Amino acid sequence: MEKIVKQGILYDFYGELLTSHQRRIYEDAVYNDLSLSEIAEDNGISRQGVHDLLKRCDKALADYENKLHLVEKFTHIKQKVEAIERLTAKVPSGAQQAEGSMEALYEAGRLAREILEEL
């Protein structure tokens, strides 16, 4: 299951860099869960041809991530935004100031600056 999730995420980020033929076959395998035989029959190629194309696509998508690190950056930014959300939820509304709220605001600001630097 984890492999399919990883394939889907890489495809979401880099799928447009594949050819339309590669995208169609990759989507059939990963998103539509078709068998190699079904994909081969639908596209008029051999089962081995589908297998080889999927391997090349997986390698190409992994190579893009190794060079560009977009998924890695996205994951880090998402984690920081979630942390900011948790910190700001600790800050009381109105005039009341709970102990630690200033620290939470300071930490939220620090995370926001890190996010801006990464972008």
Side-chain angles (χ1 to χ4, degrees), residues 2 7 9 22 24-25 27 31 35 40 43 64 70 72-73 75 77 80 85 96 98 105 108 114-115 119:
E2 183 177 315
Q7 287 175 316
I9 291 170
Q22 289 172 322
R24 186 174 56 252
I25 290 177
E27 287 174 6
Y31 291 120
S35 70
N43 290 279
Y64 291 136
L70 296 179
E72 180 184 343
K73 289 175 185 175
T75 302
I77 290 170
K80 289 176 183 175
E85 184 178 42
Q96 294 180 345
L105 282 174
E114 280 185 28
I115 290 169
L119 300 175

Side-chain angles (χ1 to χ4, degrees), residues 54-69:
L54 292 173
K55 287 291 200 188
R56 283 193 308 273
C57 288
D58 282 336
K59 182 178 179 347
L61 296 172
D63 287 347
Y64 291 136
E65 175 58 17
N66 288 335
K67 291 176 184 170
L68 301 172
H69 306 284

